[in-house]
């Protein structure tokens, strides 16, 4: 049975529910287990705790492991799902998962619950899991898996194919075979594509590619993502300080990393703690947005306080106040543009050592051009609209200076933060905008106060 | 020779340049062709037109094809590079590329130049290219490749392996084998992993998976990306209306799509036409940012004009003006937050039909909570700071209303645009911010004008 693929569901939910209702275990297993794990996981998440209890009875821990590692459960909900299962069933399920996935989930539990599960697993699995649990979050070590295929350099193509067939069931990918020496140090790589066209008697060391791109266990996951993307790899090997092969990272995990990192930069540009809240209730959504909003509220108060210094000037020419949103808005916009370019440039690795300085010089010139063009437009509009050249010149000059300062700040601050080891995306859009509000208003009202005699 | 992989270059540029200088063709080819195509491409882009002339002489069009399709040349620069080559060399090079890559590049040329190349190629290649050229940008058809491996259902495992070995040199991936009937309609799929562990005498139709996830040729590339991501696929087949297999899309191309789409949403949130301008000069950078900045400048003028209506009120209490940046800033921030959640929700497909209405209700409640909390904080601060409850209440009420309106607008506008078939990300951050500036100032000064007698 071939199905049309569109955005709709790939399985008959009502039918599967009916089979569970009828306690028709045979028929349920027959229709459920042929589904793609993604669809099995969708069904599993959809049905609610009561029906999941039946599923746990009907499926083995091994069958459940595939579903559980495919689900898109929120990090803080794993505990809820696991509490529905018998602990020994849960422990057995962890044993059947790819180590990296098991570790991801175990990492979300509290220490006691995690220890309980580990106590019920066999020693070898526990060792593997404990090793991965030790690596810092967002590093190659934390996202790698230990289920890969390796052969020693002295093997023949025929022997390598035999290893491959044995490992085909458990390895996360068999499309790259990593070649090691007796001490398990990484020497090279072969793709399955190369292997299947090679003569069976050849030695692996003679036909492998020695130019293998690898990462260190402590490398940042963003680095790993950039390499996999640039070199179009399906997997990348992870080595320790002695070049001993420790694990691999596959492209499907890297897609998640790329999405995660892009989402993260995006949320921060928008001033939200994190983004996964389409299904969350309003209280939770507000909770994620309020912290930034309130911090910015206090920064905004600072702006109001600063403006208070210029109250005398504002008192004399009320018209001046009407241009404040225009000036602070424009300055905020140009600052956000510069910020976005700098943050993405750093994230994709395009901005390296000496190019940072070049970027700042470039941004200064860009700000200058944009400032002069925008300033001139504003002078023209105000002159023809309000018939006053002085106020036009004042607002135009303020906009020109504000754009230059905002553009420089927008590129300099993230670069500085990156240099200090802070995630540059933390200098989020709203933060830069609020900062630029303050500077632009000081520039504007400072200029106005200085030249007030000419305006009146 | 094994190299440590870090962010540094993977090849010895000076050495390669020296070999070219010495016209040592043998030695250059020996050291250059063992490099990973990505590194070859980096060198090729780095060296400048003069040295590239030598490279064209030393490398065959086939060797050049791999480099050319791996480069990260900007879309509008392909013409410059191609003009360096002899046209017949260029045409031969296109012939050796994967069709999807050749089409991507040919699409960037003007019609005349494209036709010139096509005239010099063999008929079969031209047919394949013309077919792909016909598909609309950003659809599955436009990004698919026609170099895939397919077998008929009646083949045996042994026969399939033979086909695979033959195609291993040219197919873009051999890790999925697509199963078709005599009319080339898609019936199922097998992974190479399954194939190599299967008995040689078995028929493919008996062991293939019939649940093959496929896309239509007209599907949006974002859809394709979501499927590959959800189902952890290495490639997805593309079919026409009759379910005839037309091509495949591989995961490495999808990574580029995911990045492109995320980058696109990000740029628009920041109000930049597009992002790839880290290397561009200031004139070009300014050119990409000025259009939005100037549009927003005019919108900002509108705000100034609107404020002019309230000049009498501002004239009476200059203190009022000092809170304008606070109110418009807060309203802009909360609007951007809501916008970001809605835009990403639509992009990732999380926001479907009926959940759109739910989202708006959720955002209304979220805005209400955030408005009340922020408003109360503001009343408190202003009361203790300025000692005036009336102005505190006025500013607090204005902030509360502004946040509610901004949050609603931030979610409603992108959803409306999506419904109208417009890319919701076009309702960019600065646009929503400027819009919310206007509404928040009307709310604030409207309230102030109404209650002016109590404030004085």
């Amino acid at each position: 049975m071939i199905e049309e693929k569109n955005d709709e569901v790939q399985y008959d939910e009502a039918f599967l529910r009916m089979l569970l209702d009828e306690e028709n275990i045979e028929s349920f297993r027959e229709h459920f287990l042929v589904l793609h794990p993604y669809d099995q996981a969708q069904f599993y998440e959809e049905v609610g705790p009561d029906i999941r209890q039946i599923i746990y009875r009907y499926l083995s821990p091994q069958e459940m492991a595939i579903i559980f590692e495919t689900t898109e459960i929120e990090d803080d909900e794993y505990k809820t799902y696991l509490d529905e299962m018998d602990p020994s069933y849960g422990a057995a399920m962890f044993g059947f998962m790819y180590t990296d996935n098991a570790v991801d989930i175990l990492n979300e539990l509290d220490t006691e619950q995690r220890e309980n599960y580990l106590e019920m697993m066999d020693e070898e699995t526990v060792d593997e899991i404990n090793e991965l649990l030790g690596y810092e979050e967002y590093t190659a070590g934390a996202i790698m898996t230990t289920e890969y295929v390796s052969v020693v350099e002295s093997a023949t193509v025929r022997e390598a194919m035999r290893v491959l067939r044995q490992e085909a069931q458990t390895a996360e990918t068999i499309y790259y075979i990593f070649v090691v020496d007796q001490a398990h140090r990484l020497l090279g790589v072969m793709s399955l594509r190369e292997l299947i066209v090679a003569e069976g008697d050849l030695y692996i060391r003679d036909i492998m590619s020695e130019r293998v791109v690898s990462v260190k266990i402590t490398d940042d996951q963003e680095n790993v993502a950039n390499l996999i993307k640039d070199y179009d790899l399906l997997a990348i090997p992870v080595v320790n300080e002695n070049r001993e092969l420790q694990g691999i990272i596959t492209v499907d995990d890297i897609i998640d990393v790329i999405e995660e990192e892009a989402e993260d930069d995006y949320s921060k540009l928008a001033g939200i703690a994190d983004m996964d809240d389409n299904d969350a209730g309003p209280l939770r959504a507000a909770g994620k947005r309020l912290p930034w909003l309130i911090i910015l509220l206090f920064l905004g108060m600072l702006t109001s306080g600063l403006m208070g210094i210029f109250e005398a000037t504002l008192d004399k020419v009320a018209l001046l106040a009407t241009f404040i949103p225009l000036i602070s808005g424009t300055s905020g916009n140009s600052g956000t543009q510069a910020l976005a370019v700098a943050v993405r440039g750093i994230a994709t690795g395009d901005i390296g050592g000496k190019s940072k300085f070049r970027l700042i010089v470039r941004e200064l010139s860009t700000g200058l051009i944009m400032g002069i063009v925008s300033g001139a437009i504003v002078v023209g509009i105000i002159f023809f609209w309000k018939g006053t050249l002085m106020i036009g010149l004042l607002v135009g000059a303020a906009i020109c200076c504000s754009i230059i300062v905002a553009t420089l700040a927008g590129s300099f601050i993230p670069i500085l933060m990156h240099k200090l080891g802070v995630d540059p995306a933390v200098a989020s859009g709203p933060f830069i905008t609020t900062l630029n509000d303050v500077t632009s208003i000081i520039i504007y009202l400072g200029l106005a106060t200085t030249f007030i005699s000419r305006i009146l």
Side-chain angles (χ1 to χ4, degrees), chain A:
Chain A
M1 168 191 59
I2 292 286
E3 290 166 308
E4 285 289 305
K5 176 61 206 173
N6 41 41
D7 277 345
E8 304 308 316
V9 220
Q10 294 279 303
Y11 58 93
D12 189 344
E13 187 183 325
F15 178 63
L16 289 173
R17 275 178 187 269
M18 192 197 71
L19 295 176
L20 286 174
D21 262 2
E22 292 173 353
E23 306 202 7
N24 192 338
I25 175 164
E26 293 277 306
S27 191
F28 172 75
R29 288 178 54 86
E30 183 194 329
H31 288 94
F32 185 72
L33 290 174
V34 293
L35 294 178
H36 190 286
Y38 178 74
D39 296 321
Q40 296 181 9
Q42 293 277 308
F43 179 75
Y44 169 75
E45 280 183 67
E46 199 61 41
V47 290
D50 290 356
I51 296 183
R52 280 202 290 272
Q53 287 301 337
I54 313 178
I55 296 181
Y56 300 137
R57 278 194 286 123
Y58 286 8
L59 299 184
S60 71
Q62 182 166 14
E63 287 155 353
M64 195 59 222
I66 297 170
I67 300 174
F68 210 74
E69 60 189 355
T70 312
T71 54
E72 289 172 339
I73 300 175
E74 296 271 315
D75 289 348
D76 50 358
E77 288 177 339
Y78 279 118
K79 197 180 148 31
T80 322
Y81 281 78
L82 285 168
D83 283 344
E84 297 170 2
M85 302 175 197
D86 186 80
S88 64
Y89 182 92
M93 180 183 78
F94 278 117
F96 284 111
M97 286 186 195
Y98 287 117
T99 322
D100 57 337
N101 296 333
V103 167
D104 281 351
I105 297 168
L106 286 168
N107 253 328
E108 300 303 330
L109 308 179
D110 51 51
T111 320
E112 197 192 321
Q113 199 179 7
R114 184 164 57 230
E115 292 301 327
N116 275 341
Y117 279 122
L118 290 176
E119 270 171 31
M120 286 184 277
M121 297 182 204
D122 69 85
E123 208 176 326
E124 195 190 342
T125 314
V126 171
D127 284 350
E128 272 177 25
I129 288 178
N130 271 332
E131 205 187 313
L132 292 192
L133 276 173
Y135 297 119
E136 218 176 318
E137 229 184 336
Y138 310 123
T139 64
I143 57 172
M144 74 182 186
T145 179
T146 48
E147 284 96 351
Y148 56 86
V149 183
S150 66
V151 295
V152 287
E153 48 164 343
S154 54
T156 62
V157 167
R158 193 168 294 114
E159 285 160 359
M161 281 301 287
R162 196 157 51 227
V163 173
L164 217 70
R165 286 205 180 84
Q166 276 163 15
E167 308 273 335
Q169 290 303 316
T170 54
E172 194 153 339
T173 181
I174 59 159
Y175 300 132
Y176 289 159
I177 299 95
F178 298 97
V179 187
V180 292
D181 64 14
Q182 294 298 339
H184 212 66
R185 276 191 301 260
L186 181 65
L187 293 180
V189 68
M190 278 202 74
S191 69
L192 178 51
R193 184 198 288 243
E194 291 157 345
L195 204 63
I196 63 164
V197 294
E199 298 287 332
D201 301 329
L202 290 175
Y203 287 106
I204 294 292
R205 67 167 154 255
D206 296 328
I207 51 172
M208 71 180 184
S209 163
E210 289 174 347
R211 293 194 167 263
V212 49
V213 178
S214 64
V215 291
K216 289 216 194 71
I217 214 155
T218 50
D219 279 0
D220 190 274
Q221 62 175 9
E222 212 161 21
N223 253 354
V224 182
N226 286 337
L227 284 174
I228 288 203
K229 195 182 63 193
D230 286 342
Y231 287 91
D232 285 347
L233 304 171
L234 298 179
I236 197 166
V238 183
V239 296
N240 65 10
E241 290 299 318
N242 304 321
R243 277 202 75 76
E244 287 155 7
L245 184 57
Q246 301 292 302
I248 63 166
I249 298 168
T250 51
V251 65
D252 54 307
D253 292 332
I254 280 306
I255 290 186
D256 298 338
V257 169
I258 289 175
E259 282 239 316
E260 211 174 90
E261 299 270 352
E263 203 99 298
D264 197 43
D265 288 349
Y266 186 83
S267 321
K268 280 176 183 147
L269 189 65
I272 316 179
D274 70 87
M275 194 64 87
D276 301 319
D277 63 352
N278 274 313
D279 295 325
L283 258 179
R284 198 166 150 164
K288 283 189 175 173
R289 299 184 207 171
L290 266 176
W292 256 115
L293 209 61
I294 291 172
I295 292 170
L296 295 168
L297 207 63
F298 279 92
L299 279 175
M301 281 288 175
L302 207 76
T303 322
S304 300
L306 271 166
M307 282 180 72
I309 303 172
F310 301 105
E311 219 177 305
T313 308
L314 287 169
D315 225 9
K316 284 186 197 125
V317 197
L319 179 63
L320 287 181
T322 64
F323 295 108
I324 288 175
L326 175 70
I327 294 167
S328 67
T330 306
S331 134
N333 292 337
S334 56
T336 307
Q337 292 177 329
L339 171 80
V341 171
V343 167
R344 284 313 290 170
I346 293 170
T348 55
D350 281 352
I351 301 182
K354 84 180 163 198
S355 67
K356 276 174 198 160
F357 180 72
R358 243 181 43 208
L359 180 78
I360 290 178
V361 172
R362 203 273 308 264
E363 290 295 308
L364 181 63
S365 321
T366 307
L368 214 66
I369 298 170
M370 297 201 301
I372 292 170
V373 173
S374 305
I377 292 175
V378 167
V379 176
I381 297 178
I382 296 183
F383 179 68
F384 285 109
W385 178 28
K386 303 271 179 185
T388 152
L389 185 61
M390 277 317 295
I391 289 191
L393 282 174
L394 173 69
V395 177
I399 283 204
C400 176
C401 296
S402 302
I403 288 179
I404 296 170
V405 172
T407 303
L408 256 187
S411 60
F412 181 72
I413 291 177
I415 287 178
L416 181 74
M417 293 178 88
H418 183 62
K419 198 122 201 165
L420 297 175
V422 185
D423 179 2
V426 169
S428 74
F431 175 73
I432 289 277
T433 304
T434 308
L435 193 75
N436 285 330
D437 272 3
V438 180
T439 54
S440 66
I441 287 165
I442 294 177
I443 292 171
Y444 175 52
L445 293 180
L447 284 174
T449 308
T450 313
F451 297 106
I452 188 90
S453 55
R454 308 222 187 159
I455 299 169
L456 287 173

